[in-house]
C-alpha cells in the first residue's frame, strides 16, 4: 500500500453499487486518511466515485458531500478515471460490481489496490487485501491504517474512526452477526478512544425513517410477506407501483429483508424490489436480496439462479422481467437449495 500510495498523484477510490455503510465507511476512511497523509501538498488529489446514489441516512458522514455519483456526473467521473494514477477498490470483488465504471477503470492500466471481504475476488488488482474472514471492509481498512503510517502522521482521526465504526456496525447488523471475534471489540475500543460518538452514529443510521418509509415497512410486512413454513422461508415483494405509492427514496427498503428472520421459525428470507426499466432496457429489473441464519448458505442459490452472489448469509442477485416471473423462478428453485424440514 505505502509504496503505491507514495508514488500516486491522482487517486480514485471506488466502491460498489447501492453503497451500504461498509462501502461508505471504508471509502471515506481511506479518503480522509490519504488526504491527511499529505495535507499540505497540492500534488495529490483524492476522489471517491460511487456508481449510483447512496441512502440519505449516510449524508451526515464526514466527507459524504464530496462523493461523486457516477450516474449523475459521468463526464467528470470519466475524466478523473482516465487521469488517475492509482485506483483503490473497496468492498467489492469484481469490476462488474461497480457497473459501467468497471470497464472505464479497467481501461486505465494504472495500479489497482483491492480491499475487500467477499469470497473469491476476481483477479484484476495489483495489490490485494482480501480477507473473507473479516466482518467488514472497514475492519481491513482499520488494520491497514494502523499498520501503515505513510509519513509518520497520526493515523486515527475522529473522521476516520467514525467512518470505520459505521461499516463495522452496519455489516454486522449492529454486532448481531459475524461479530464474535474478540479483536473486533478491541478495534471498537480504539475507535471510542479516538473520539467517536458511538450512540449518535447508531441513531444517525438506523433511526432516520420518514413516515412514508415506516408505512411502507408496515405495508410490506402486513400485506406482502409470504411464508413457506416447511422451508422456514419468507418472501416479500414490492412492485414499482407500490414503492411509488409510499414515495420511495433510495435506502427505504434497507434492512427490510432481515425482518422476517425475527420470526422464530423463519431461517431464510428473500426480498424482491422492482425497478422501472431504464432507457434502453425494455424490461424492469428485479433486485433480489437473500438472507439466512446459521449454517444455511444462500449465495449459491443467488449465484446459480439470479446471476448474483455474496456471503453465505447475505447475498444478492437480479432478474430482468416481471415480479411474477421472479416469484415463479424463486418458487421453482428454492426446493433445490433449501432443505425441507
Ligand atoms: P444486499 O441484499 O444488501 O443488496 O446484498 C447483500 C450482499 O450480497 C452484499 O453485501 C454483496 O456482498 C452481495 N451481493 C449483492 N448483489 C450481488 C450481486 O449482484 N453479485 C454478487 N456477486 N454479490 C452480490
Ligand atoms: Mn461489506
Amino acid at each position: 500500500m505505502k509504496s503505491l500510495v507514495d508514488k500516486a498523484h491522482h487517486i480514485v477510490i471506488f466502491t460498489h453499487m447501492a453503497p451500504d455503510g461498509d462501502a461508505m465507511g471504508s471509502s471515506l476512511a481511506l479518503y480522509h486518511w490519504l488526504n491527511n497523509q499529505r495535507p499540505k501538498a497540492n500534488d495529490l488529489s483524492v476522489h471517491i466515485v460511487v456508481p449510483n446514489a447512496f441512502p440519505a441516512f449516510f449524508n451526515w458522514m464526514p466527507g459524504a458531500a464530496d462523493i461523486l455519483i457516477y450516474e449523475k456526473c459521468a463526464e467528470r467521473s470519466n475524466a478523473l478515471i482516465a487521469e488517475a494514477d492509482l485506483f483503490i477498490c473497496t468492498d467489492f470483488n469484481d469490476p462488474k460490481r461497480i457497473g459501467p465504471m468497471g470497464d472505464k477503470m479497467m481501461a486505465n492500466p494504472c495500479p489497482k489496490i483491492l480491499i475487500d471481504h467477499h469470497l473469491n475476488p476476481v483477479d484484476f488488482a495489483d495489490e490485494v487485501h482480501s480477507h473473507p474472514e473479516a466482518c467488514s471492509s472497514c475492519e481491513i481498512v482499520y488494520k491497514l491504517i494502523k499498520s501503515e503510517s505513510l509519513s509518520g502522521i497520526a493515523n486515527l482521526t475522529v473522521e476516520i474512526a467514525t467512518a470505520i465504526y459505521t461499516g463495522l456496525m452496519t455489516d454486522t447488523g449492529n454486532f448481531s452477526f459475524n461479530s464474535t471475534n474478540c479483536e473486533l471489540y478491541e478495534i471498537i475500543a480504539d475507535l471510542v478512544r479516538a473520539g467517536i460518538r458511538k450512540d449518535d452514529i447508531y441513531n444517525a443510521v438506523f433511526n432516520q425513517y420518514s413516515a412514508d418509509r415506516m408505512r411502507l415497512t408496515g405495508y410490506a410486512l402486513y400485506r406482502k410477506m409470504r411464508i413457506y413454513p416447511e422451508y422456514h422461508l419468507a418472501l416479500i415483494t414490492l412492485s414499482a407501483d407500490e414503492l411509488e405509492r409510499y414515495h420511495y427514496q433510495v435506502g427505504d427498503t434497507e434492512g427490510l429483508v432481515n425482518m422476517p428472520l425475527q420470526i422464530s421459525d423463519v431461517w431464510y428470507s428473500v426480498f424482491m424490489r422492482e425497478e422501472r426499466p431504464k432507457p434502453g432496457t425494455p424490461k424492469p429489473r428485479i433486485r433480489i436480496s437473500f438472507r439466512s441464519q446459521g449454517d444455511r448458505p444462500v449465495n449459491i442459490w443467488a449465484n446459480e439462479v439470479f446471476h448474483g452472489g455474496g456471503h453465505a448469509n447475505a447475498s444478492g442477485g437480479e432478474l430482468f422481467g416481471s415480479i411474477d416471473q421472479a416469484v415463479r423462478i424463486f418458487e421453482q428453485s428454492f426446493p433445490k437449495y433449501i432443505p425441507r424440514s
Side-chain angles (χ1 to χ4, degrees):
M1 185 102 160
K2 179 173 163 48
S3 65
L4 287 178
V5 166
D6 276 349
K7 275 184 249 154
H9 298 282
H10 301 287
I11 304 179
V12 174
I13 301 169
F14 292 114
T15 194
H16 63 76
M17 247 182 280
D20 57 12
D22 192 31
M24 296 292 293
S26 54
S27 53
L28 283 168
L30 288 163
Y31 175 74
H32 291 301
W33 178 62
L34 290 166
N35 278 318
N36 292 350
Q37 295 303 313
R38 274 147 68 178
K40 297 215 173 55
N42 36 19
D43 67 335
L44 177 68
S45 76
V46 185
H47 291 90
I48 302 175
V49 191
V50 300
N52 56 4
F54 53 83
F57 50 78
F58 294 127
N59 285 348
W60 63 271
M61 295 181 78
D66 302 340
I67 294 177
L68 291 164
I69 297 168
Y70 190 78
E71 271 186 5
K72 293 187 187 154
C73 45
E75 214 171 299
R76 166 121 200 266
S77 309
N78 282 337
L80 290 170
I81 294 168
E83 73 172 23
D85 53 12
L86 177 64
F87 292 126
I88 305 184
C89 301
T90 177
D91 204 35
F92 67 95
N93 62 356
D94 182 338
K96 289 196 188 101
R97 294 277 291 138
I98 57 172
M101 277 196 313
D103 291 339
K104 305 278 179 192
M105 172 181 76
M106 293 311 291
N108 180 337
C110 75
K112 300 170 185 70
I113 299 176
L114 175 67
I115 300 174
D116 183 48
H117 69 133
H118 295 90
L119 284 171
N120 309 321
V122 169
D123 181 17
F124 70 95
D126 304 274
E127 185 179 310
V128 177
H129 302 272
S130 166
H131 297 280
E133 74 289 355
C135 76
S136 56
S137 298
C138 276
E139 178 183 332
I140 307 167
V141 168
Y142 169 87
K143 289 180 182 163
L144 284 170
I145 287 178
K146 289 299 273 193
S147 67
E148 298 204 43
S149 175
L150 292 183
S151 45
I153 293 168
N155 278 330
L156 210 58
T157 63
V158 69
E159 286 84 12
I160 295 172
T162 297
I164 290 170
Y165 185 76
T166 304
L168 301 182
M169 178 186 80
T170 53
D171 257 27
T172 60
N174 198 34
F175 311 104
S176 63
F177 50 81
N178 244 346
S179 50
T180 32
N181 187 345
C182 299
E183 202 188 358
L184 173 60
Y185 299 92
E186 283 156 20
I187 295 173
I188 295 170
D190 204 22
L191 302 177
V192 172
R193 260 182 240 116
I196 64 161
R197 299 172 69 94
K198 181 183 151 298
D199 300 354
D200 292 351
I201 297 173
Y202 180 93
N203 282 323
V205 173
F206 291 122
N207 293 339
Q208 293 301 324
Y209 279 53
S210 62
D212 274 329
R213 179 180 176 191
M214 191 57 92
R215 289 187 211 288
L216 174 66
T217 305
Y219 169 75
L221 294 173
Y222 182 43
R223 298 275 188 187
K224 301 303 307 282
M225 182 175 69
R226 289 177 229 188
I227 293 184
Y228 303 82
E230 325 82 84
Y231 290 89
H232 304 272
L233 167 67
L235 170 68
I236 295 174
T237 63
L238 288 172
S239 67
D241 282 346
E242 289 167 324
L243 293 163
E244 279 165 22
R245 210 181 299 152
Y246 291 91
H247 310 108
Y248 173 79
Q249 302 288 315
V250 172
D252 278 357
T253 55
E254 194 73 33
L256 183 60
V257 65
N258 295 307
M259 288 187 160
L261 297 175
Q262 295 178 37
I263 302 168
S264 59
D265 290 328
V266 171
W267 305 331
Y268 299 89
S269 175
V270 175
F271 168 56
M272 298 180 180
R273 178 170 58 79
E274 182 189 21
E275 289 172 3
R276 295 249 181 255
K278 295 227 165 92
T281 52
K283 292 180 181 167
R285 174 174 183 249
I286 313 296
R287 170 75 216 153
I288 310 170
S289 290
F290 301 79
R291 297 290 187 274
S292 64
Q293 287 171 328
D295 189 15
R296 301 181 184 97
V298 281
N299 48 352
I300 299 161
W301 183 22
N303 175 256
E304 292 183 355
V305 182
F306 295 102
H307 316 288
H311 311 282
N313 295 123
S315 303
E318 65 182 8
L319 176 141
F320 288 88
S322 67
I323 288 248
D324 289 347
Q325 241 174 321
V327 172
R328 256 197 318 276
I329 293 171
F330 161 88
E331 290 186 336
Q332 281 161 5
S333 62
F334 73 65
K336 183 175 162 197
Y337 296 94
I338 297 183
R340 193 190 161 110
S341 61

